[in-house]
Amino acid sequence: MANNNNNNNNKNNKVVVMFPFMAQGHIIPFFSLALYLEQKTKLKIIFINTPLNIKNLKQSLPPNSTITLTSLPFNSSHHNLPADSENTDSLPYSLILNLLKASLSLKQPFHDFISQLPTPPLCIVADMFFGWTADVAQQFGTLHTLFLTCGAYGSALYFSLWLHLPQCHTSDDEFAVPEFPEAAKIHRSQLANNLKYATGDDGWSKVIHEELMPLWMKTQGMLINTVEEIDQTGLVYFRRKFGDQVPIWSVVPTMLNKEQQRPNKKSGIDVNKCIDWLNNKSTSSVLFVSFGSQNTIGSSQMIELAHGIESSGRDFIWVVRPPFGFDINQEFRSQDWLPRGFEERMAEQNRGVLVHNWAPQLEILSHKSTCAFLSHCGWNSVLESLSRGVPIIGWPMAGEQFYNSKLMEEELVVCVEIGRGPNWDVSRGDIARAIETVMGGGEKGEAMRKKACEIKEMFKESIRDEDGCKGSCVRAIDDFVDTLLDSKNKAT
Ligand SMILES: *[C@@H]1O[C@H](CO)[C@@H](O)[C@H](O)[C@H]1NC(C)=O
Ligand SMILES: *[C@@H]1O[C@H](CO)[C@@H](O)[C@H](O)[C@H]1NC(C)=O
Ligand SMILES: *[C@@H]1O[C@H](CO)[C@@H](O)[C@H](O)[C@H]1NC(C)=O
């Protein structure tokens, strides 16, 4: 009995507070990290977010989990947002800045929450959009680390572009990124809208420069959602920028968790039906097309893409969403948005499956019949594709996706980029040629597929967890945990 109490006390002293930004792409890797730490360590996790996000997470929490889910008071109606909007997934792009500004109202509640804990937590692991948590951590003598949910290369470019706004200081279309000579120049077309129109005095620049950036530099450690071996260039940037005092750990929690927790999403196609269809196709013969749950392409681009895919002669699975300008969650109208008779012809020839809404992406990418992935290059999709050895046809749409595509094309050489942004002028011929390059028998395609297989092995190695033989990802997380426990010993 006494023993038990002791253990509990110990546990209670070793609390880690985790706080992702209110976006699915951030919450998922944070939650995955929480589950992994729960399994592997004696750390007690408190997971913080706003009420609706916490309510959704409760459904994915295993019944025997010891993770505490805590919501901070937040009402979107009080922040120039529609009612019940607490996640970027339920907001149009034009309102994302409002959500970011609204999130600053969580400062005081977060501070109050930490102050009422019996003892200060060992560590606060916060999102890069919650850089201000570094001040709170400092007040309570708690270790502070950021967890960047994007890759190192993409984050480094994003970071440096916001820090220096080089696009404002030149009229050239191509320019170098300050403090990051290892990265090739970038082109204006590779700037997301908020960066493209940044002046230093606009809403985005103000929040980032005044509220977030000064505090990023106060963090004491940084977890990055990446694999060391594929993301060296970006990691060089962060290690130089933050110096030796700030450890940088490359960990991909969603890969460490064997039984992955997936968000409850209604699949637009039965998983088994999709796998049956793939089972019937020959090895490495199918193109998978998806722009993720948040992105879509323009109407004329959608028509060109359909023609391009049809004339490539390749089999495909395509996750279709209403074109740019329409509500992305409305019903897909094939008769309006695809070439006449396209869906019927593809079905008749058993050449393709159009999935409305959501597809079992990881299962498709893991299938041996899948050869290539035409993707918006969101980081989660990149990780899923590379860890399965599937080369990419890149069509980045927003955020740091442009730099993920750049990383894969220029550094990893497993990607051919065909467009930038939803309204990029891309022809059916360009699309068919890119598909042939990546999937066909030419030298370039062979080399890309071989490279993708090598990267798949790197991913596998990185999560190897045997005594005396641990991969980079496992070593990084072990080191992260040791650092937390050391900080505790030093404090007492
Ligand atoms: C919960 O139960 C599962 C299945 O029995 C087990 O693998 C896991 O370790 C348990 N988790 C905790 C935190 O006890
Ligand atoms: C949020 O605020 C609005 C307006 O003040 C109110 O009508 C609504 O009930 C509040 N929602 C919650 C969940 O408290
Ligand atoms: C499998 O392929 C055969 C021949 O191409 C076809 O007749 C059959 O309908 C296919 N089955 C499925 C599930 O697609």
PDB file of all heavy atoms in Angstrom, residues 259-275:
ATOM      1  N   GLU A 259       0.183   1.030 -32.771  1.00  0.00           N
ATOM      2  CA  GLU A 259      -1.270   1.079 -32.995  1.00  0.00           C
ATOM      3  C   GLU A 259      -1.641   2.544 -33.074  1.00  0.00           C
ATOM      4  O   GLU A 259      -1.816   3.201 -32.054  1.00  0.00           O
ATOM      5  CB  GLU A 259      -2.033   0.437 -31.847  1.00  0.00           C
ATOM      6  CG  GLU A 259      -1.750  -1.024 -31.683  1.00  0.00           C
ATOM      7  CD  GLU A 259      -1.871  -1.431 -30.223  1.00  0.00           C
ATOM      8  OE1 GLU A 259      -2.940  -1.230 -29.656  1.00  0.00           O
ATOM      9  OE2 GLU A 259      -0.871  -1.923 -29.677  1.00  0.00           O
ATOM     10  N   GLN A 260      -1.702   3.025 -34.280  1.00  0.00           N
ATOM     11  CA  GLN A 260      -1.905   4.456 -34.417  1.00  0.00           C
ATOM     12  C   GLN A 260      -3.314   4.869 -34.050  1.00  0.00           C
ATOM     13  O   GLN A 260      -4.279   4.214 -34.397  1.00  0.00           O
ATOM     14  CB  GLN A 260      -1.604   4.870 -35.847  1.00  0.00           C
ATOM     15  CG  GLN A 260      -0.811   6.151 -35.843  1.00  0.00           C
ATOM     16  CD  GLN A 260      -0.721   6.763 -37.203  1.00  0.00           C
ATOM     17  OE1 GLN A 260      -1.259   7.813 -37.428  1.00  0.00           O
ATOM     18  NE2 GLN A 260      -0.026   6.108 -38.105  1.00  0.00           N
ATOM     19  N   GLN A 261      -3.394   5.970 -33.323  1.00  0.00           N
ATOM     20  CA  GLN A 261      -4.704   6.533 -33.026  1.00  0.00           C
ATOM     21  C   GLN A 261      -5.110   7.397 -34.208  1.00  0.00           C
ATOM     22  O   GLN A 261      -4.392   8.289 -34.596  1.00  0.00           O
ATOM     23  CB  GLN A 261      -4.613   7.402 -31.766  1.00  0.00           C
ATOM     24  CG  GLN A 261      -4.234   6.624 -30.535  1.00  0.00           C
ATOM     25  CD  GLN A 261      -5.302   5.644 -30.138  1.00  0.00           C
ATOM     26  OE1 GLN A 261      -6.480   5.963 -30.171  1.00  0.00           O
ATOM     27  NE2 GLN A 261      -4.900   4.432 -29.812  1.00  0.00           N
ATOM     28  N   ARG A 262      -6.231   7.082 -34.765  1.00  0.00           N
ATOM     29  CA  ARG A 262      -6.666   7.861 -35.921  1.00  0.00           C
ATOM     30  C   ARG A 262      -7.899   8.669 -35.542  1.00  0.00           C
ATOM     31  O   ARG A 262      -8.709   8.224 -34.760  1.00  0.00           O
ATOM     32  CB  ARG A 262      -7.000   6.920 -37.092  1.00  0.00           C
ATOM     33  CG  ARG A 262      -5.871   5.974 -37.397  1.00  0.00           C
ATOM     34  CD  ARG A 262      -5.802   5.726 -38.875  1.00  0.00           C
ATOM     35  NE  ARG A 262      -4.534   6.158 -39.394  1.00  0.00           N
ATOM     36  CZ  ARG A 262      -4.391   7.017 -40.381  1.00  0.00           C
ATOM     37  NH1 ARG A 262      -5.436   7.580 -40.925  1.00  0.00           N
ATOM     38  NH2 ARG A 262      -3.211   7.325 -40.830  1.00  0.00           N
ATOM     39  N   PRO A 263      -8.006   9.844 -36.131  1.00  0.00           N
ATOM     40  CA  PRO A 263      -9.208  10.618 -35.827  1.00  0.00           C
ATOM     41  C   PRO A 263     -10.437   9.890 -36.382  1.00  0.00           C
ATOM     42  O   PRO A 263     -10.338   9.187 -37.376  1.00  0.00           O
ATOM     43  CB  PRO A 263      -8.974  11.931 -36.581  1.00  0.00           C
ATOM     44  CG  PRO A 263      -7.971  11.597 -37.632  1.00  0.00           C
ATOM     45  CD  PRO A 263      -7.146  10.464 -37.120  1.00  0.00           C
ATOM     46  N   ASN A 264     -11.548  10.047 -35.677  1.00  0.00           N
ATOM     47  CA  ASN A 264     -12.770   9.402 -36.167  1.00  0.00           C
ATOM     48  C   ASN A 264     -13.267  10.142 -37.389  1.00  0.00           C
ATOM     49  O   ASN A 264     -13.881  11.182 -37.270  1.00  0.00           O
ATOM     50  CB  ASN A 264     -13.857   9.451 -35.093  1.00  0.00           C
ATOM     51  CG  ASN A 264     -13.431   8.689 -33.867  1.00  0.00           C
ATOM     52  OD1 ASN A 264     -12.802   7.640 -33.983  1.00  0.00           O
ATOM     53  ND2 ASN A 264     -13.761   9.211 -32.702  1.00  0.00           N
ATOM     54  N   LYS A 265     -13.008   9.584 -38.545  1.00  0.00           N
ATOM     55  CA  LYS A 265     -13.484  10.247 -39.759  1.00  0.00           C
ATOM     56  C   LYS A 265     -14.328   9.272 -40.544  1.00  0.00           C
ATOM     57  O   LYS A 265     -14.021   8.088 -40.601  1.00  0.00           O
ATOM     58  CB  LYS A 265     -12.301  10.709 -40.606  1.00  0.00           C
ATOM     59  CG  LYS A 265     -11.782  12.050 -40.173  1.00  0.00           C
ATOM     60  CD  LYS A 265     -11.259  12.833 -41.365  1.00  0.00           C
ATOM     61  CE  LYS A 265     -10.855  14.232 -40.941  1.00  0.00           C
ATOM     62  NZ  LYS A 265      -9.745  14.770 -41.650  1.00  0.00           N
ATOM     63  N   LYS A 266     -15.344   9.815 -41.154  1.00  0.00           N
ATOM     64  CA  LYS A 266     -16.186   8.945 -41.952  1.00  0.00           C
ATOM     65  C   LYS A 266     -15.487   8.745 -43.285  1.00  0.00           C
ATOM     66  O   LYS A 266     -15.225   9.682 -44.018  1.00  0.00           O
ATOM     67  CB  LYS A 266     -17.558   9.575 -42.144  1.00  0.00           C
ATOM     68  CG  LYS A 266     -18.628   8.518 -42.291  1.00  0.00           C
ATOM     69  CD  LYS A 266     -20.012   9.143 -42.251  1.00  0.00           C
ATOM     70  CE  LYS A 266     -20.654   8.960 -43.601  1.00  0.00           C
ATOM     71  NZ  LYS A 266     -21.067  10.145 -44.276  1.00  0.00           N
ATOM     72  N   SER A 267     -15.157   7.509 -43.568  1.00  0.00           N
ATOM     73  CA  SER A 267     -14.468   7.215 -44.809  1.00  0.00           C
ATOM     74  C   SER A 267     -15.450   7.287 -45.965  1.00  0.00           C
ATOM     75  O   SER A 267     -16.584   6.823 -45.859  1.00  0.00           O
ATOM     76  CB  SER A 267     -13.861   5.821 -44.724  1.00  0.00           C
ATOM     77  OG  SER A 267     -13.316   5.462 -45.955  1.00  0.00           O
ATOM     78  N   GLY A 268     -15.006   7.891 -47.069  1.00  0.00           N
ATOM     79  CA  GLY A 268     -15.849   7.976 -48.256  1.00  0.00           C
ATOM     80  C   GLY A 268     -15.909   6.643 -48.985  1.00  0.00           C
ATOM     81  O   GLY A 268     -16.650   6.470 -49.946  1.00  0.00           O
ATOM     82  N   ILE A 269     -15.092   5.691 -48.581  1.00  0.00           N
ATOM     83  CA  ILE A 269     -15.100   4.383 -49.227  1.00  0.00           C
ATOM     84  C   ILE A 269     -14.751   3.364 -48.165  1.00  0.00           C
ATOM     85  O   ILE A 269     -13.980   3.628 -47.253  1.00  0.00           O
ATOM     86  CB  ILE A 269     -14.068   4.323 -50.382  1.00  0.00           C
ATOM     87  CG1 ILE A 269     -14.173   3.001 -51.135  1.00  0.00           C
ATOM     88  CG2 ILE A 269     -12.658   4.566 -49.887  1.00  0.00           C
ATOM     89  CD1 ILE A 269     -13.315   2.957 -52.392  1.00  0.00           C
ATOM     90  N   ASP A 270     -15.348   2.217 -48.277  1.00  0.00           N
ATOM     91  CA  ASP A 270     -15.066   1.156 -47.344  1.00  0.00           C
ATOM     92  C   ASP A 270     -13.596   0.752 -47.488  1.00  0.00           C
ATOM     93  O   ASP A 270     -13.092   0.559 -48.591  1.00  0.00           O
ATOM     94  CB  ASP A 270     -15.997  -0.008 -47.693  1.00  0.00           C
ATOM     95  CG  ASP A 270     -15.774  -1.168 -46.773  1.00  0.00           C
ATOM     96  OD1 ASP A 270     -15.767  -0.929 -45.562  1.00  0.00           O
ATOM     97  OD2 ASP A 270     -15.593  -2.277 -47.262  1.00  0.00           O
ATOM     98  N   VAL A 271     -12.904   0.651 -46.352  1.00  0.00           N
ATOM     99  CA  VAL A 271     -11.476   0.335 -46.393  1.00  0.00           C
ATOM    100  C   VAL A 271     -11.239  -0.972 -47.151  1.00  0.00           C
ATOM    101  O   VAL A 271     -10.370  -1.062 -48.022  1.00  0.00           O
ATOM    102  CB  VAL A 271     -10.889   0.216 -44.963  1.00  0.00           C
ATOM    103  CG1 VAL A 271      -9.431  -0.211 -45.015  1.00  0.00           C
ATOM    104  CG2 VAL A 271     -11.026   1.537 -44.232  1.00  0.00           C
ATOM    105  N   ASN A 272     -12.034  -1.977 -46.851  1.00  0.00           N
ATOM    106  CA  ASN A 272     -11.826  -3.284 -47.485  1.00  0.00           C
ATOM    107  C   ASN A 272     -12.056  -3.231 -48.993  1.00  0.00           C
ATOM    108  O   ASN A 272     -11.350  -3.881 -49.760  1.00  0.00           O
ATOM    109  CB  ASN A 272     -12.757  -4.333 -46.872  1.00  0.00           C
ATOM    110  CG  ASN A 272     -12.370  -4.595 -45.430  1.00  0.00           C
ATOM    111  OD1 ASN A 272     -11.201  -4.494 -45.071  1.00  0.00           O
ATOM    112  ND2 ASN A 272     -13.364  -4.877 -44.613  1.00  0.00           N
ATOM    113  N   LYS A 273     -13.040  -2.438 -49.390  1.00  0.00           N
ATOM    114  CA  LYS A 273     -13.343  -2.319 -50.813  1.00  0.00           C
ATOM    115  C   LYS A 273     -12.140  -1.723 -51.556  1.00  0.00           C
ATOM    116  O   LYS A 273     -11.761  -2.169 -52.643  1.00  0.00           O
ATOM    117  CB  LYS A 273     -14.578  -1.416 -50.978  1.00  0.00           C
ATOM    118  CG  LYS A 273     -15.376  -1.696 -52.238  1.00  0.00           C
ATOM    119  CD  LYS A 273     -16.671  -0.901 -52.230  1.00  0.00           C
ATOM    120  CE  LYS A 273     -16.742  -0.059 -53.494  1.00  0.00           C
ATOM    121  NZ  LYS A 273     -17.710   1.035 -53.403  1.00  0.00           N
ATOM    122  N   CYS A 274     -11.553  -0.742 -50.913  1.00  0.00           N
ATOM    123  CA  CYS A 274     -10.388  -0.084 -51.486  1.00  0.00           C
ATOM    124  C   CYS A 274      -9.218  -1.061 -51.600  1.00  0.00           C
ATOM    125  O   CYS A 274      -8.525  -1.112 -52.626  1.00  0.00           O
ATOM    126  CB  CYS A 274     -10.006   1.042 -50.527  1.00  0.00           C
ATOM    127  SG  CYS A 274      -9.488   2.523 -51.303  1.00  0.00           S
ATOM    128  N   ILE A 275      -9.008  -1.833 -50.551  1.00  0.00           N
ATOM    129  CA  ILE A 275      -7.895  -2.788 -50.534  1.00  0.00           C
ATOM    130  C   ILE A 275      -8.163  -3.905 -51.545  1.00  0.00           C
ATOM    131  O   ILE A 275      -7.259  -4.324 -52.280  1.00  0.00           O
ATOM    132  CB  ILE A 275      -7.685  -3.351 -49.102  1.00  0.00           C
ATOM    133  CG1 ILE A 275      -7.324  -2.222 -48.134  1.00  0.00           C
ATOM    134  CG2 ILE A 275      -6.614  -4.439 -49.088  1.00  0.00           C
ATOM    135  CD1 ILE A 275      -6.149  -1.353 -48.524  1.00  0.00           C
TER     136      ILE A 275
END
